[in-house]
Amino acid sequence: MDGMPETVPAGASLVLAVLLALMGLGLLVAGRTGSTGRLRRNGLVGIRTGRSMESDESWRTVHRTAAPWLYAAGGTPLAAAVAVLFVRQPVAFLAVVLGSVALLLVFLCLGVWRGTRALPPRA
């Protein structure tokens, strides 16, 4: 191929696997702490929409409802982290990484949507 290596360097695979694993673990922790109510309303971690930030009860409802989707979003990069350690062909490697990020975003959007829909209508 023109300018593309025949295999992905092992060091690049390892670095990306660690980054993906950390991302996945962060999402799993956010999902767990949100589902148990230990994640307090804040401006840094969690689902921060206008509706979820209105009250502590709204925050808890959104995160409790979104938790399964956050777990799925966290599991996606963890699976990709394992996969990139074994995939050496550059196109397949790129497909694993981009596919996992796309799936992660779908799960996150579904979680936000489901969590927000669980709130009672505004008066």
Side-chain angles (χ1 to χ4, degrees), residues 37-105:
R38 292 187 321 221
L39 182 63
R40 304 279 184 235
R41 191 167 33 143
N42 67 82
L44 184 62
V45 177
I47 298 171
R48 296 172 315 277
T49 64
R51 294 285 316 273
S52 69
M53 297 294 281
E54 285 178 351
S55 69
D56 289 338
E57 184 58 33
S58 293
W59 178 265
R60 283 189 295 273
T61 299
V62 167
H63 285 84
R64 204 172 306 119
T65 306
W69 299 102
L70 291 177
Y71 294 146
T76 301
L78 286 177
V82 173
V84 299
L85 293 174
F86 298 100
V87 175
R88 290 285 179 239
Q89 202 277 332
V91 174
F93 184 87
L94 188 60
V96 166
V97 173
L98 294 179
S100 69
V101 170
L103 193 56
L104 176 151
L105 291 173

